[in-house]
Amino acid sequence: MSLPERALGPFTVSAVSLGCMNLSHAYSAPPPPDYSERLLNRALDLGVTMLDTAALYGGGNNERLIGAAVGHRRGAFTLASKCVLGLRDGKRVLDGSPEAITASIEGSLERLGTDHIDLMYLHRPDPAVPIEESIGALVRAKEAGKIGAIGVSEMSAETIRRAHAVHPIAAVQTEYSLTVRNPEIAVLDTCAELGIGFVAFSPVARGLLAASVRDDAYAQGDIRAAMPRFTGDTLAHNLIAVRSFEALAGDIGITPAQLALAWLLARAPHVVPIPGTTRIEHLEEDIAAATIVVPAEALARAEAIFASGAIRGARYPRPMQVQVSTETFPDEELA
């Protein structure tokens, strides 16, 4: 099966691709490995041609899962991973030094069971290391044939330009959805100007736009429990707009997640959303969004639902916010 495709740097990938983090990291307990293996293979069967992982996810277990589950189909997809962020004794560690990047890539190659990763991102900017030095380490990995293209994640337009001056950047990855519009400040336009693909992570707002968040009774270890907009009275306020959005999706005859993804796909031709899921039926629902045509009037109504003030609360807790350099709005709440 084939899906509509989009250019992402030197690659051509399915317009809706797959973020694999959920299978090992961040939310509820991950599904059993055999189920995750079926999900990943189902994604490829349905035409998904990019899988996105990171050294951070599950402390490397997500990369191991991908290698074990679909390594035998390596030629069927673009493989993307990330370095700089990792887990040490259960805590996030940020290290953008060339030595750490080189070691991280070697670890990723081993866990994935491959000698080449198509797209390697700097997962976050390290304020202690000039971006030029971090990119230089990726350039050397590319020259050694260990990676094919270079990306950056959650970085400002200025940082992207500095990185691009060292070596052409293939992709920028940042959170983007109807509820998180920060890339529209400068990053989307910068990517369009420089010919860089844009990968939208958390395109259904960590489940908020997929009818899967109704309260803040999260499972132990769920990162949303520490995210201001997903808890308490702030979440209760945000769910008011979400219910209107769900009603609109129902009127159109599609699911909320499909409407959220259709809105992103309509933003610009260089945008590639990577929803993640732990359920095959949700995977199938998300992938179907690549072929759904939503009238412009309905997309405008969806956008209007999330006008300024509809969503309250910082998108990250402070320890995570200080690790990104993405532009913020003047009135944006920050932890």
Side-chain angles (χ1 to χ4, degrees):
M1 180 176 177
S2 61
L3 293 174
E5 295 178 323
R6 295 194 165 188
L8 191 71
F11 311 110
T12 299
V13 302
S14 51
V16 174
S17 288
L18 182 64
C20 300
M21 179 183 77
N22 304 42
L23 297 174
S24 308
H25 188 86
Y27 299 119
S28 58
D34 61 334
Y35 185 87
S36 295
E37 180 175 341
R38 292 202 304 273
L39 187 150
L40 289 166
N41 279 281
R42 180 61 174 156
L44 299 185
D45 292 344
L46 290 172
V48 168
T49 58
M50 181 170 68
L51 302 180
D52 182 274
T53 183
L56 174 70
Y57 302 158
N61 286 333
N62 197 246
E63 291 178 322
R64 293 186 186 95
L65 169 65
I66 290 173
V70 293
H72 64 292
R73 303 177 68 176
R74 184 65 186 83
F77 61 94
T78 295
L79 175 61
S81 193
K82 309 178 195 74
C83 57
V84 173
L85 271 183
L87 285 180
R88 187 179 302 158
D89 298 326
K91 296 183 179 180
R92 286 162 61 114
V93 176
L94 176 68
D95 190 344
S97 67
E99 297 79 11
I101 289 171
T102 299
S104 181
I105 292 172
E106 292 295 339
S108 291
L109 289 168
E110 180 178 356
R111 290 186 293 269
L112 288 159
T114 185
D115 61 0
H116 183 81
I117 297 168
D118 299 310
L119 173 59
M120 178 60 71
Y121 293 92
L122 298 178
H123 207 156
R124 293 290 188 272
D126 183 349
V129 181
I131 189 65
E132 291 82 1
E133 292 185 17
S134 297
I135 293 293
L138 293 184
V139 172
R140 290 188 288 277
K142 180 179 178 180
E143 291 171 345
K146 296 180 180 182
I147 67 173
I150 295 172
V152 298
S153 177
E154 287 280 44
M155 297 191 190
S156 68
E158 178 187 2
T159 306
I160 293 166
R161 290 182 183 279
R162 287 173 56 192
H164 194 73
V166 177
H167 185 281
I169 300 301
V172 169
Q173 185 171 147
T174 290
E175 184 175 2
Y176 188 31
S177 72
L178 276 158
T179 68
V180 176
R181 305 288 290 277
N182 301 74
E184 296 176 3
I185 300 172
V187 167
L188 274 180
D189 286 345
T190 298
C191 288
E193 175 192 338
L194 299 177
I196 300 172
F198 182 91
V199 176
F201 77 79
S202 295
V204 297
R206 305 184 189 277
L208 197 64
L209 302 180
S212 64
V213 177
R214 290 291 181 260
D215 55 47
D216 58 4
Y218 303 112
Q220 184 176 3
D222 192 311
I223 62 173
R224 291 171 294 189
M227 292 181 165
R229 66 179 49 180
F230 284 92
T231 59
D233 292 341
T234 303
L235 175 62
H237 167 83
N238 295 341
L239 287 173
I240 296 171
V242 168
R243 285 190 286 270
S244 296
F245 176 74
E246 291 172 354
L248 173 60
D251 290 344
I252 299 170
I254 60 177
T255 69
Q258 289 171 337
L259 178 55
L261 292 167
W263 179 84
L264 273 171
L265 290 168
R267 300 307 287 169
H270 62 294
V271 173
V272 178
I274 51 167
T277 184
T278 58
R279 295 171 59 179
I280 290 174
E281 60 267 33
H282 289 168
L283 168 75
E284 294 170 345
E285 173 188 330
D286 292 343
I287 292 171
T291 56
I292 291 174
V293 178
V294 177
E297 182 270 339
L299 296 176
R301 287 172 60 194
E303 191 168 329
I305 288 171
F306 294 103
S308 180
I311 297 295
R312 295 177 183 168
R315 73 181 180 107
Y316 281 138
R318 179 160 180 76
M320 296 175 72
Q321 180 64 42
V322 298
Q323 291 184 339
V324 307
S325 65
T326 315
E327 292 84 358
T328 56
F329 292 99
D331 59 348
E332 183 172 346
E333 296 178 55
L334 299 174

